[in-house]
Structure formats: C-alpha cells, structure tokens
Amino acid sequence: MENLMCCDVSFNFNSIPSSSLNHTFRFPVSSTLTNNNHRSCLSFVRAHQSEASDGSAIDGDSKVDTNKEWKVRNSQDEIAATQGIRIRRRPPTGPPLHYVGPFEFRLQNEGNTPRNILEEIVWNKDVEVAQLRGKKPLFSLKKAVDNAPPPRDFIGALKASYLRTGMPALIAEVKKASPSRGVLREDFDPVEIAKAYKNGGAACLSVSTDQKYFQGSYENLEAIRNAGVKCPLLCKEFIVDAWQLYYARAKGADAVSLIAAILPDLDIKYMTKICKMIGLTVLVEVQDENEMDRILGIDGIELIGINNRNLETFEVDISNTKKLLEGERGEKIRQKDIIVVGESGLFTPADVAYVQEAGVKAILVGESIVKQKDPTKGIAELFGKDISVPTALA
Ligand SMILES: O=C(O)c1ccccc1NCC(=O)[C@H](O)[C@H](O)COP(=O)(O)O
C-alpha cells in the first residue's frame, strides 16, 4: 500500500512573466516521491568542481545552479546505492524545482532531512568543508602540506607494537564526546591524555577532529603533534572531500580514516591515491560484509578497521569483528597481508582476547580508556597487563 505523508509545497510563479507570487500549500504526497535513498559516487568530481581555477570556492549558493546540482547529486546517489551505500549526500540548498505547465514548485520534504545520525554528520560536514575550503583553497593548502612535519610510519608502529607485546597494537582515541555517549570526560586536556596513552603503551593515537558531534578539533591534533608525542596520529574525521586529506596532513596527521558507508569505491580509490602522494596512511572503516567485500576489491588497501558500532543505529556488538573475518574474507585478508583493526566497544581483557582470536592485529579504543582518571592505568586494565614500553626502549 502506498504510504502517504504531508508535504509543504511552495509554488513559485516566477516562470509567468511579470509575476512574483509565491504560495505554499500543504497536501499529501506519495512517500515514493520523498524516498530519495541514494547517494553520490563521484565526490572526487565535487572536490575539484567546487574550486575555481583561481582557487576560490564556488560552493556558495549564489554561483551554482542548485536544481542542476540536485540532479547531479541524485544521480551520484543512485550510483552509490548500487554499491549498497545508504548514506545520501546533502542536497545543495533545498529540494529541487518541479514543473507543471508554467508553474514551478518545490516539495519541501523531498529528501532534504537526514535519516540518521551518520547522514546528519555527513551533511553538516559538507557545509563545514565548503566553508573551510573557501577560506583555505587547495593551492594554499598544498604549500602548508609541504611545510608540515614529515609523516610517520603508522603501520610500522602497529607492527612493531604487535611484535613487542604479542597483543593487538593499541590505537588510543583522544575524544571528548561522541553522539552515542555524550561527554566522556569533562576535564579534557588532549595533550595530557595523549602523553598518558603513550606512557601506557599505545602504538598510535586517533584524534577526533570533528567539532560539532565529538567536541574535537584540528587544534587538538596540531597541539599533540607539536608537543612531541611520538605516536603516529590518525585524524579521525568524516572525510567527504579530498580537500580534507590535504588539511589533515597540513595539521600534522600521519593517517586518516575513510568510511566505506559514506564513500563510494571510486572515491576511496581516488582518495587512497592522494593519501599515498602526500604520505598519509589510510584506515578504511567497514561495518558489514558488503562494505568489507567492496574494500577487499580495491587494490592498495593496507589497513581495514571493522567497526563494531553501527554508525546509523549506535548498536555495538563486538561479534561483528569475528563475523567479518570468518571464512573466505579472512583468507583473502591474510593473502593480501592487510592489517585489521577491531574498533569500538572494547572494554575488558576478554574483549581484547576475543577480537585477537578473531584475527585482528590492532584495536582502536576510545571510551573505555579516555574515561579513566589515569588513562595510562586504563590501558593496563584494558589489556589485563602492563604493555608500556620499558623506559630503556622508550
Ligand atoms: O561513537 C559514536 O557515537 C559515533 C557515532 C557516529 C559515527 C561515529 C561514531 N564513533 C566513531 C568511532 O568509530 C569510535 O569513536 C571509535 O571506534 C572508538 O569507539 P569506542 O572505543 O567505543 O569509544
């Protein structure tokens, strides 16, 4: 049965000469009209489309034909949907115009409301990035990348830690808050926390840079790097545009996370190439079998994170790591020599042992250690033993 819902519809009579009448009506429309559940494939095109040759951003509403852009994004969303990607990209400025005879009208709720938290984050990120790149166009960022501190070997650090401890290498997350858990730590000093993690034996650090949902920042990333903390740094972001890769590197990141639920294969390939060019390690995050299979079909992927948190529903289940490493997938991962990182919801030595048994060589942990008064001790408690580097070797 067709599901009916109400929509505000604004008619704009501007296609009638010398008329400027606008009216809004409310009437039921078919949900098939409003279910726009597709998303983009070619955000790499966007990355370059939205910057003029002089480097100025042209994402501003005044310079784009929003109706045309809406159609492009819709068809990009459709391509992405064929890869099983449910997260749609933000519509340009509002719903598209429809035409009936001389009338133009908009269906106000036509796909312009995010359907879940991940989609909301991505839509906000699109706006944030467009604004930031207006201030710092790519050509100026490239100079900053040249002057950034040299990238450090993220994967090398994970391997060395695994060899040293015989346990999954720890990527310890510096994050103040999260959408699912709210504020995790009121007295949040990113540099102090980073130092405590290093002292506890973390191989690498993950720094949340999203401000709106995680209360993070690129200043935190920069401050940790400038404080001389030796662990390689992962910029934990929602990457929607290649511009962010340059920005992360300019701020001192050694690695970035790419989320398969957001980015189509072509974007992941293209962004991975850029990362290689500028010295960033890529951690591709997957949540389910389809995403894992997509990523295993892409050449050059060295690091895959399996997220135990469903980023659309917040549900956490650490058996997700095991499920995605079973059978042929696990075999393929071993053949390709890919390092797998177990992510989210790890709190106890039994959890660490469980994901290690499943085949991970590294874990990414935030909540359980950032909440501890002393995060150094928190790491020992998580592993059930002291994994810190002996002072003579540190
Ligand atoms: O953590 C969230 O609420 C969240 C919501 C939407 C998108 C991403 C989200 N988390 C990012 C992460 O992947 C975690 O910060 C990371 O894996 C560490 O998880 P945890 O050890 O459970 O803090």
Side-chain angles (χ1 to χ4, degrees):
M1 199 178 70
E2 210 168 47
N3 179 16
L4 292 179
M5 58 195 293
C6 266
C7 267
D8 291 328
V9 178
S10 328
F11 283 86
N12 176 6
F13 294 83
N14 66 9
S15 53
I16 301 172
S18 71
S19 170
S20 59
L21 288 170
N22 282 299
H23 295 283
T24 299
F25 300 92
R26 202 168 168 79
F27 67 89
V29 295
S30 159
S31 66
T32 52
L33 272 178
T34 65
N35 272 348
N36 220 341
N37 49 354
H38 308 302
R39 48 134 316 162
S40 90
C41 174
L42 303 172
S43 56
F44 77 96
V45 173
R46 277 196 301 275
H48 294 285
Q49 268 175 343
S50 54
E51 197 160 294
S53 54
D54 63 354
S56 64
I58 54 171
D59 270 326
D61 294 346
S62 59
K63 294 192 191 166
V64 287
D65 174 344
T66 54
N67 227 26
K68 198 166 145 199
E69 199 186 329
W70 177 286
K71 281 183 195 147
V72 170
R73 290 218 173 157
N74 249 5
S75 61
Q76 291 170 343
D77 282 353
E78 279 170 19
I79 298 168
T82 65
Q83 294 171 19
I85 297 172
R86 292 180 299 276
I87 302 299
R88 303 162 305 164
R89 292 304 281 273
R90 185 185 72 92
T93 54
L97 282 170
H98 296 277
Y99 300 93
V100 176
F103 304 116
E104 287 177 350
F105 64 95
R106 292 180 192 278
L107 301 175
Q108 295 288 359
N109 291 327
E110 193 179 33
N112 62 346
T113 311
R115 285 186 305 225
N116 56 53
I117 184 69
L118 187 56
E119 201 164 86
E120 185 188 317
I121 293 173
V122 166
W123 288 18
N124 273 291
K125 199 53 74 179
D126 268 331
V127 177
E128 188 185 302
V129 171
Q131 286 166 352
L132 265 176
R133 65 181 291 168
K135 290 187 201 140
K136 289 185 199 300
L138 200 55
F139 76 90
S140 72
L141 215 47
K142 281 180 177 163
K143 282 185 205 133
V145 166
D146 291 341
N147 296 327
R152 297 167 296 187
D153 185 359
F154 196 88
I155 292 182
L158 295 180
K159 285 183 174 165
S161 178
Y162 183 77
L163 279 176
R164 179 176 67 78
T165 66
M167 297 183 93
L170 175 64
I171 306 170
E173 188 150 279
V174 182
K175 71 170 167 187
K176 177 166 183 180
S178 74
S180 59
R181 298 286 196 238
V183 174
L184 297 163
R185 190 181 181 106
E186 288 290 353
D187 63 328
F188 185 79
D189 179 335
V191 172
E192 283 313 305
I193 293 168
K195 285 180 178 167
Y197 284 161
K198 164 87 181 84
N199 293 340
C204 300
L205 306 182
S206 161
V207 184
S208 287
T209 49
D210 176 83
Q211 212 276 322
K212 190 173 164 81
Y213 298 92
F214 291 82
Q215 297 190 32
S217 70
Y218 283 92
E219 284 71 37
N220 290 352
L221 182 79
E222 235 173 355
I224 294 169
R225 180 87 206 221
N226 292 340
V229 181
K230 289 211 178 99
C231 301
L233 304 181
L234 170 74
C235 172
K236 197 76 161 38
E237 245 307 343
F238 296 85
I239 303 285
V240 293
D241 187 316
W243 179 91
Q244 293 167 279
L245 307 173
Y246 291 90
Y247 195 61
R249 182 75 274 280
K251 295 289 180 185
D254 304 292
V256 286
S257 52
L258 301 181
I259 301 176
I262 300 175
L263 298 167
D265 299 356
L266 205 51
D267 285 3
I268 291 177
K269 284 180 195 166
Y270 164 76
M271 289 182 180
T272 302
K273 282 194 179 136
I274 292 182
C275 286
K276 287 222 161 92
M277 260 164 48
I278 60 177
L280 282 172
T281 298
V282 172
L283 168 68
V284 188
E285 296 189 4
V286 302
Q287 300 174 81
D288 59 26
E289 291 96 331
N290 174 57
E291 290 174 9
M292 177 64 100
D293 292 342
R294 282 176 46 214
I295 301 312
L296 290 178
I298 297 176
D299 286 336
I301 303 295
E302 297 173 284
L303 201 54
I304 296 180
I306 299 178
N307 209 328
N308 298 313
R309 176 175 289 110
N310 179 318
L311 301 183
E312 293 171 42
T313 65
F314 291 161
E315 256 168 55
V316 178
D317 178 1
I318 67 168
S319 72
N320 198 38
T321 295
K322 186 164 186 273
K323 187 170 74 182
L324 266 59
L325 290 176
E326 274 165 358
E328 278 178 28
R329 286 189 189 92
E331 192 49 46
K332 201 163 177 183
I333 286 165
R334 283 187 288 279
Q335 276 167 12
K336 288 183 155 226
D337 208 15
I338 291 170
I339 295 181
V340 177
V341 184
E343 300 185 9
S344 302
L346 303 171
F347 287 87
T348 65
D351 293 342
V352 176
Y354 177 82
V355 290
Q356 179 168 19
E357 179 67 18
V360 310
K361 296 274 193 303
I363 52 176
L364 194 155
V365 183
E367 181 180 349
S368 71
I369 48 177
V370 82
K371 274 173 113 170
Q372 303 306 317
K373 195 165 185 305
D374 178 353
T376 302
K377 273 196 199 148
I379 292 175
E381 279 163 23
L382 172 68
F383 281 83
K385 68 178 205 182
D386 179 4
I387 60 153
S388 64
V389 182
T391 329
L393 302 174

